[in-house]
Amino acid sequence: MSALLGLWPELRDTCTSLGLMLSVVLLVGLARVVAQQQLHRPVAHAFVLEFLATFQLCCCTHELQLLSEQHPAHPTWTLTLVYFFSLVHGLTLVGTFSNPCGVMMQMMLGGLSPETGAVRLLAQLVSALCSRYCTGALWSLGLTHYHVSERSFACKNPIQVDLSKAVITEAVCSFLFHSALLHFQEVRAKLRIHLLAALITFLVYAGGSLTGAVFNPALALSLHFMCFDEAFPQFFIVYWLAPFLGQAQWLMPVIPALQEAETGGSREDSSLRPAWPTWRNPVSTKNTKKIAGRCRSHL
């Protein structure tokens, strides 16, 4: 009995954190419904939806990161939560990116105009900073004992390897994630969400101890803002430049196929064919833009 009483505060704090994350998801969902009904201007609609999606992702990840620090001896529990909330984000944040890499990819493939892309990028950056300050205000309420100790948001450098290995880790994570978006196109939507959530969980498990496996510049800015302030060059290279480099490797075989489709060419030059076995029509503009539109964020 005494053992159960000793575990009660820890269990209560964990349940409180889970309740906070689910409350954020619920409130953002309600705000999305209102925005879709009330906002009719495409630019304002895109900005608000992208802002809300990034806000949900960042707030939940702040709480998940805090939970993982409280239970370092139980990584299975943390990874289970990563998988669960990856599913939640995939189901609730339809039509948004929450990741600058996704917006840039869509712009490069012609799926977004520069103006719309810039609006979405601005919404992500503003939301990343707002989520940080809102999370800090929430933690200052002291709902759990570790909220009180972490409300200062002091820099905790997540990079545990040298710069070159950190860049490779984030670039490879970004490459694998965007490659999976392509390969999973032929999979049913319900199963695809589970596959992407499983991939995100695996990447967090494999790279979390090295760099945190963020591969999302907006999320990295929200999580490690103080570290950006203290060591900007290092964090800019690892968390901003590296994910774009990984994505660029994914885009290299895609862009020539899109250019060929736009010019109406039907050349059979193998150098223009994407090196992906599941790409059934390498010159299909429709397929290319559909793939770009699947880019989603992660935990």
Side-chain angles (χ1 to χ4, degrees):
M1 187 66 178
S2 60
L4 292 176
L5 292 176
L7 288 174
W8 169 246
E10 182 179 349
L11 180 61
R12 180 191 59 194
D13 289 345
T14 300
C15 291
T16 301
S17 291
L18 293 176
L20 288 175
M21 288 186 280
L22 293 176
S23 298
V24 169
V25 172
L26 177 61
L27 292 175
V28 168
L30 293 175
R32 282 170 59 89
V33 172
V34 173
Q36 291 173 344
Q37 294 176 348
Q38 302 297 325
L39 297 178
H40 304 292
R41 294 179 59 187
V43 174
H45 184 264
F47 181 91
V48 172
L49 290 187
E50 200 68 50
F51 178 93
L52 291 173
T54 306
F55 185 86
Q56 175 180 315
L57 174 68
C58 292
C59 286
C60 290
T61 307
H62 273 291
E63 199 69 32
L64 274 177
Q65 186 181 58
L66 196 58
L67 276 176
S68 67
E69 293 173 356
Q70 307 306 314
H71 305 283
H74 304 285
T76 303
W77 168 240
T78 302
L79 293 173
T80 301
L81 292 178
V82 170
Y83 178 82
F84 173 75
F85 279 97
S86 295
L87 288 178
V88 171
H89 297 323
L91 292 170
T92 59
L93 303 183
V94 178
T96 57
F97 297 95
S98 307
N99 189 336
C101 293
V103 177
M104 294 298 296
M105 179 175 67
Q106 187 86 329
M107 292 172 63
M108 294 177 68
L109 295 177
L112 281 179
S113 65
E115 294 78 10
T116 303
V119 168
R120 288 183 178 270
L121 289 173
L122 178 62
Q124 291 173 358
L125 295 179
V126 173
S127 181
L129 296 177
C130 287
S131 65
R132 180 179 179 85
Y133 289 111
C134 289
T135 301
L138 190 61
W139 287 359
S140 66
L141 299 177
L143 298 178
T144 69
H145 75 278
Y146 46 81
H147 282 167
V148 177
S149 61
E150 297 293 337
R151 62 185 177 181
S152 64
F153 278 118
C155 174
K156 294 182 179 180
N157 194 338
I159 302 176
Q160 304 299 320
V161 292
D162 57 59
L163 182 60
S164 60
K165 292 181 180 179
V167 170
I168 292 173
T169 300
E170 289 293 317
V172 168
C173 287
S174 180
F175 174 81
L176 292 176
F177 179 72
H178 289 95
S179 298
L181 291 176
L182 170 62
H183 285 282
F184 294 161
Q185 289 307 301
E186 304 301 326
V187 181
R188 289 181 302 145
K190 292 183 179 180
L191 179 58
R192 181 169 60 243
I193 294 176
H194 284 275
L195 291 175
L196 289 174
L199 174 63
I200 291 171
T201 305
F202 169 76
L203 294 177
V204 170
Y205 171 76
S209 61
L210 304 178
T211 63
V214 181
F215 55 96
N216 182 332
L219 180 59
L221 181 64
S222 182
L223 293 176
H224 309 303
F225 181 78
M226 295 302 295
C227 297
F228 272 91
D229 184 48
E230 296 178 9
F232 179 79
Q234 180 187 27
F235 277 78
F236 177 80
I237 293 172
V238 173
Y239 293 111
W240 280 69
L241 185 59
F244 284 113
L245 290 177
Q247 183 195 48
Q249 293 298 315
W250 178 86
L251 284 172
M252 287 177 62
V254 177
I255 293 178
L258 180 60
Q259 292 174 341
E260 181 181 348
E262 290 177 344
T263 57
S266 59
R267 292 170 292 177
E268 296 297 328
D269 184 358
S270 61
S271 64
L272 294 181
R273 298 177 184 173
W276 307 111
T278 58
W279 188 289
R280 296 186 177 181
N281 184 2
V283 294
S284 171
T285 306
K286 179 180 178 181
N287 285 350
T288 305
K289 292 183 178 180
K290 180 180 178 182
I291 289 167
R294 295 292 185 181
C295 184
R296 291 291 183 270
S297 60
H298 80 286
L299 275 176

